[in-house]
Amino acid sequence: MSILINKDTRVIVQGFTGSQGTLHSKQSMEYGTNIVGGVTPGKGGKQHLGRPVFNSVEDAKSSLDPNASIIFVPARFCKDSILESAEAGIKLIICITEGIPTLDMLEVKKRVDELGVRLIGPNCPGIITPGEAKLGIMPGDIHMPGSIGIISRSGTLTYEAVKQTTDLGFGQSSCVGIGGDPIPGSSFIDMLKLFQDDKQTEAIVMVGEIGGTAEEAAAEYIKNNITKPVISYIAGKTAPSGKRMGHAGAIIAGGKGTADNKIEKLQECGVYVADNLVSIGFKVAEVLG
Amino acid sequence: MNLHEYQGKALFAEYNIPVSKGKVVFNAEDIIDVCNEIGGSKWVVKAQVHAGGRGKSGGVELITNPEDGVKFAKKWLGKNLVTYQTDKKGQPVNCILVEECINIAKELYLSAIIDRESQRIVFIGSIEGGVNIEDVAKNMPEKIIYQGFVYKDDSLKENAENIAKVLKLNDQQTIQFISIIDNLLRLFVEKDLSLLEINPLVITENKDLHCLDAKINIDSNALYRQPELLDMRDESQEDPKEAEAAKSDLSYVSLDGNIGCMVNGAGLAMGTMDTIKFFGGNPANFLDVGGTATQERVAKAFKIILDDPDVKVVLVNIFGGIVRCDLIAEGIIAAIKEVEVKIPVVVRLEGNNADIGSKILSKAKIKIESINDLAEAAKKAILLAE
């Protein structure tokens, strides 16, 4: 078991023939991901990396019957690309691209919710189910099939959590980067639900950061709904107020969204909080005994 | 990106949102002509900086004689205005907004943001205007209303009326208010705003609604489609190092410690700062060098970090993902040579080919502390900074 993707997931790549699309599609295929084709408007009918290219998602959908799409197109085209996939009936969309205007995401989020589409990202590393499928830009070799489900707002911080849980021998069931934007397609809560129902997952690592109140909402949800142990790390204790720390969503505004607030709330709700980035793995070991 | 009040008000005027008659001046002497052009016998002169709290700091004055406006302008132009929202240095004043004077009966508060939780554009209204809204939220939460809006749906009137009730507007003002909200929402969406604040929104002695201030932030991710707003950028109001870093596509925020940080990924960059603090040190900055960490970007990052005279040591923390650590190590060595870094550098490489990367670093002819364990690397940097 795993969440969202496995070796049977049939994947198309939007922005397949671009430099990012090519690089990461190649690595995903080497990892064993079942990429069945891609979409690049104007290049339909060609072959790329040994897979067919289509002009539109609709064309790709009717020929290949994919059930997931991963998006590498530039930020200004992402709204259209996500909506195109969603309207064509793809039920799982992963958008890697960073820098999408927030108002575009408001519109996208409303529509994907109406259509019952699961959107992961944008501005995220993607999803991996170790040993089965990699839909993202994460380095495959730090992962190991195992029992920890990982959810994170940040790319490289996810890798830290992965590396630490691999080194200690736990491995991962699936890892999901939900992204660093203010309006993400999926929330911590959406992923917590899936990991709670996944038999392979024994514990969940949730990596958060300053800005917004997603961690606080997740804490409340965990208290009432999650029976598996949740270990958390929150980045940005030293971040100053009012400054955007790289990610568009990582900003303390009006005294809201501080790391201390989040940590306090998480602890109150029974989440095990690692006090340091380097101790996420140790905390998992401590909790799982 | 932020706008000045005068630029925000020009946008308001374009969207038929009521603002005072006024004009911005860059030369003190021009104030006489502008006062005459506006007419009347009382004017308000306002120093234009990207910060609130100007009134309490002497940056706003009521004048009855245009000559006093010239004096005010001469006092401020070219100087820095320090308010409770700025740092110790303050923000440079390059222009002054001259406006007709409006007689106020009551001050209210109105703002709009994109709310993450409800995933809506939310307007925030309060009957307590002209004061810090965060204090009102804390001390008198019952005097604030948060109302979500969906652009172009048919509940605008009803939603606007909900706010009008809390603001205790009369029927005439409520009609004006619905139109103001309608226009502000259109402005918000068409111009890709991330924040809009009118503090105060006033009821004039003639009982009309009127915007006395305009604070506007624009979503920087959307600037590519707002060229006319991009032209309004005032770089003098931005931190010069942050602006310089942004030009090279690096995210940089300066802090007041002495350990320079160079990290790939925003989350890991924050995590690295926290780790330094956790072990008793003080980070000098946040810097996300990006996923590729090429020689060129690393060199640029070193230049920006070393520009801060307080920095005693640089901690480089790279999690090699798609780009292998051996390539990153070579880039770091070349960048250190290129920039002629004279202070100690501690490098922590993890991920893809980290071992080979560390070997390359230790064999380099320049002095680099290569430590693969992040906690140990942070401790070493703290020791070297003392």
Side-chain angles (χ1 to χ4, degrees):
Chain A
M1 286 273 285
S2 56
I3 69 163
L4 296 166
I5 59 168
N6 57 35
K7 60 183 185 334
D8 300 322
T9 307
R10 297 171 60 81
V11 185
I12 57 164
V13 181
Q14 288 175 265
F16 191 33
T17 59
S19 65
Q20 291 297 304
T22 302
L23 170 72
H24 296 294
S25 299
K26 221 189 249 174
Q27 298 203 1
S28 291
M29 285 158 74
E30 280 163 14
Y31 196 80
T33 313
N34 186 17
I35 291 182
V36 293
V39 175
T40 298
K43 300 210 169 154
K46 295 191 172 146
Q47 289 274 317
H48 184 65
L49 307 177
R51 302 288 188 276
V53 183
F54 295 85
N55 284 324
S56 70
V57 177
E58 207 183 342
D59 291 352
K61 172 87 170 128
S62 57
S63 300
L64 303 171
D65 192 30
N67 45 21
S69 172
I70 181 163
I71 298 180
F72 289 104
V73 308
R76 61 183 70 186
F77 306 119
C78 277
K79 182 178 96 175
D80 290 345
S81 294
I82 297 170
L83 292 178
E84 184 191 350
S85 239
E87 301 288 353
I90 307 272
K91 291 295 175 197
L92 174 65
I93 302 170
I94 295 128
C95 183
I96 304 298
T97 311
E98 176 176 1
I100 302 177
T102 311
L103 285 166
D104 284 5
M105 276 312 298
L106 272 191
E107 218 179 307
V108 164
K109 175 68 175 143
K110 186 165 171 274
R111 190 63 187 142
V112 295
D113 283 352
E114 284 164 4
L115 293 168
V117 169
R118 163 71 52 221
L119 171 65
I120 303 289
N123 189 10
C124 79
I127 318 172
I128 185 168
T129 292
E132 297 202 31
K134 173 171 114 86
L135 272 75
I137 59 172
M138 63 288 279
D141 57 1
I142 57 171
H143 299 78
M144 179 174 95
S147 60
I148 311 297
I150 297 182
I151 322 166
S152 171
R153 276 169 72 186
S154 147
T156 39
L157 269 183
T158 321
Y159 310 162
E160 288 284 350
V162 167
K163 181 82 173 45
Q164 291 174 28
T165 48
T166 293
D167 286 351
L168 291 170
F170 294 105
Q172 306 83 30
S173 52
S174 296
C175 308
V176 186
I178 58 172
D181 271 5
I183 307 289
S186 295
S187 65
F188 282 125
I189 295 174
D190 296 327
M191 295 304 109
L192 286 164
K193 269 182 211 168
L194 298 177
F195 278 126
Q196 172 70 23
D197 294 341
D198 173 45
K199 287 205 180 75
Q200 187 184 334
T201 304
E202 285 170 27
I204 305 163
V205 169
M206 185 174 99
V207 181
E209 61 188 28
I210 55 159
T213 53
E215 289 81 2
E216 286 88 332
E220 196 63 39
Y221 182 83
I222 290 165
K223 188 172 86 180
N224 299 319
N225 303 282
I226 303 292
T227 55
K228 295 177 182 179
V230 181
I231 296 93
S232 183
Y233 168 72
I234 305 292
K237 265 193 167 184
T238 44
S241 179
K243 292 276 188 184
R244 170 176 152 174
M245 306 303 278
H247 288 153
I251 181 164
I252 299 168
K256 270 195 183 167
T258 65
D260 288 344
N261 254 346
K262 292 174 189 293
I263 291 168
E264 196 184 315
K265 181 74 185 172
L266 287 163
Q267 284 173 333
E268 228 177 78
C269 293
V271 174
Y272 304 93
V273 180
D275 57 8
N276 192 328
L277 161 60
V278 298
S279 60
I280 300 172
F282 300 132
K283 198 78 189 177
V284 172
E286 191 188 310
V287 171
L288 291 184
Chain B
M1 187 188 104
N2 300 333
L3 294 186
H4 281 299
E5 176 192 1
Y6 80 89
Q7 295 164 328
K9 283 183 171 170
L11 284 177
F12 279 13
E14 199 184 303
Y15 279 79
N16 294 318
I17 299 155
V19 288
S20 310
K21 214 196 290 178
K23 201 167 177 180
V24 70
V25 299
F26 293 84
N27 296 306
E29 273 72 21
D30 293 346
I31 288 192
I32 307 239
D33 285 347
V34 169
C35 285
N36 290 334
E37 204 180 300
I38 293 170
S41 58
K42 279 195 289 182
W43 303 271
V44 180
V45 281
K46 304 173 96 174
Q48 299 293 290
V49 291
H50 286 181
R54 293 171 298 166
K56 291 186 186 79
S57 312
V60 178
E61 222 168 79
L62 175 69
I63 56 167
T64 49
N65 180 346
E67 289 294 342
D68 292 339
V70 176
K71 264 188 227 155
F72 174 88
K74 279 185 174 160
K75 181 174 132 194
W76 281 116
L77 285 173
K79 305 270 174 18
N80 277 19
L81 178 63
V82 179
T83 79
Y84 76 93
Q85 283 190 2
T86 69
D87 60 13
K88 283 174 289 190
K89 266 183 14 228
Q91 296 287 101
V93 181
N94 301 319
C95 55
I96 308 281
L97 175 63
V98 186
E99 283 188 333
E100 64 179 326
C101 178
I102 300 289
N103 293 319
I104 304 167
K106 172 97 189 103
E107 290 187 310
L108 308 168
Y109 174 92
L110 185 66
S111 67
I113 53 161
I114 297 173
D115 180 54
R116 299 176 180 205
E117 245 170 288
S118 61
Q119 304 186 327
R120 296 255 187 291
I121 296 169
V122 167
F123 276 80
I124 304 167
S126 173
I127 196 158
E128 296 291 325
V131 293
N132 188 347
I133 193 68
E134 278 141 29
D135 295 338
V136 181
K138 209 160 124 199
N139 304 323
M140 296 174 282
E142 72 284 358
K143 294 195 170 172
I144 294 188
I145 176 170
Y146 303 85
Q147 176 67 56
F149 284 82
V150 175
Y151 186 49
K152 283 186 175 164
D153 83 350
D154 45 17
S155 54
L156 183 126
K157 183 168 174 281
E158 187 188 324
N159 290 338
E161 280 169 353
N162 288 341
I163 306 175
K165 267 178 221 149
V166 174
L167 302 185
K168 299 202 163 74
L169 302 182
N170 68 27
D171 291 352
Q172 183 58 34
Q173 288 155 359
T174 299
I175 292 166
Q176 289 177 7
F177 187 73
I178 293 166
S179 139
I180 288 174
I181 292 279
D182 192 11
N183 291 327
L184 285 174
L185 189 60
R186 202 158 49 83
L187 168 70
F188 199 103
V189 173
E190 288 178 359
K191 302 292 182 190
D192 277 299
L193 307 194
S194 53
L195 177 138
L196 175 166
E197 184 177 54
I198 305 164
N199 190 16
L201 169 73
V202 301
I203 300 171
T204 65
E205 278 185 349
N206 298 331
K207 305 212 166 15
D208 292 320
L209 285 175
H210 191 89
C211 303
L212 270 201
D213 198 6
K215 179 180 174 183
I216 285 180
N217 294 355
I218 299 148
D219 179 359
S220 14
N221 287 344
L223 283 170
Y224 73 86
R225 61 186 179 201
Q226 303 293 350
E228 74 289 1
L229 297 182
L230 191 55
D231 284 345
M232 294 183 186
R233 176 170 225 147
D234 181 354
E235 285 187 24
S236 77
Q237 303 293 318
E238 297 169 15
D239 180 301
K241 282 167 72 190
E242 288 172 20
E244 179 65 29
K247 272 185 204 153
S248 312
D249 208 18
L250 301 170
S251 297
Y252 171 89
V253 175
S254 93
L255 303 167
D256 49 15
N258 57 8
I259 300 173
C261 302
M262 188 190 309
V263 187
N264 68 330
L268 188 57
M270 277 190 278
T272 305
M273 286 158 42
D274 294 350
T275 305
I276 291 170
K277 190 88 182 174
F278 182 81
F279 289 112
N282 278 307
N285 64 275
F286 165 94
L287 190 148
D288 175 7
V289 71
T292 49
T294 56
Q295 178 187 337
E296 194 193 349
R297 295 174 66 85
V298 173
K300 188 80 207 175
F302 267 121
K303 279 182 197 155
I304 291 164
I305 292 171
L306 296 175
D307 209 31
D308 177 349
D310 293 338
V311 172
K312 298 282 184 288
V313 55
V314 179
L315 173 60
V316 181
N317 182 15
I318 306 284
F319 202 113
I322 297 309
V323 182
R324 301 191 324 259
C325 288
D326 48 331
L327 294 178
I328 293 170
E330 280 163 8
I332 292 171
I333 293 166
I336 290 176
K337 284 182 184 158
E338 182 193 328
V339 183
E340 297 178 7
V341 179
K342 299 216 167 49
I343 58 172
V345 178
V346 180
V347 181
R348 182 262 185 161
L349 290 179
E350 185 53 275
N352 206 342
N353 277 1
D355 294 346
I356 307 174
S358 309
K359 264 183 212 141
I360 294 173
L361 289 175
S362 1
K363 278 190 201 146
K365 295 214 167 58
I366 44 174
K367 201 169 156 36
I368 300 172
E369 298 279 354
S370 170
I371 302 173
N372 279 6
D373 182 283
L374 176 57
E376 293 310 316
K379 286 182 200 164
K380 184 75 188 179
I382 293 165
L383 197 70
L384 290 167
E386 276 168 4

